Amino acid sequence: MDSAQYDREIASRFAALDQDHDGCIDREEFSGAAAALLAEFGVTARSDKGQALYSGAEAFWQGMAGMADVDGDERVSREEFLTGAVKRLRDNPRRFAEIARPFLHAAIAVADEDGRGVTRAALVRGLRVLGVTPKAAGEVAAAVDGDGDGRVGEDELLSAFAEYYATPEP
């Protein structure tokens, strides 16, 4: 892959986190994602699951800011993301997974409507709410369900999440 293609792929990762499309990633992106997931699955913010999701979103933001917010303005610019976060993620993808774990763990609890784990359909719904196209959401859900049982576990999601953000491949 040439460097221009690599830059485009990494820029798409940044755009996925920049939910309001203002050119920076900030705390509101993460709390907004939490609010969108809660609304999609009919879970209230004041419930235990809602509070866990907001706490996980804050932890995810703090981890991202700690890796990339070089100037300390509590915003991660595209340049900071490309030079700070991506380098650190490529050096240690599992670290990124651990930063995201509290959020993903809580999101799984929100999307697990029957107490038996997240279904592919619920994963697609969650991804759609976060701005993933329907086609891509379906493809991701199928790919992440490595054992083909129709449900997606936390470890499967964490691995896929870390891989997506730490590699330039789609």
Side-chain angles (χ1 to χ4, degrees), residues 54-75:
Y54 276 111
S55 292
E58 178 63 19
F60 192 3
W61 160 246
Q62 290 293 330
M64 175 66 71
M67 284 193 310
D69 184 17
V70 177
D71 61 12
D73 66 352
E74 299 211 11
R75 297 166 49 99

Side-chain angles (χ1 to χ4, degrees), residues 25-36:
I25 302 167
D26 57 30
R27 176 177 277 111
E28 285 72 34
E29 252 82 49
F30 292 86
S31 61

Side-chain angles (χ1 to χ4, degrees), residues 95-140:
R95 179 167 184 243
F96 186 63
E98 290 309 313
I99 289 168
R101 183 183 292 275
F103 179 74
L104 288 175
H105 180 77
I108 289 167
V110 166
D112 181 359
E113 298 177 296
D114 64 5
R116 297 179 27 228
V118 177
T119 64
R120 279 193 197 178
L123 178 57
V124 168
R125 285 174 59 198
L127 290 170
R128 292 281 302 120
V129 138
L130 297 175
V132 177
T133 66
K135 181 179 186 258
E139 290 170 357
V140 167

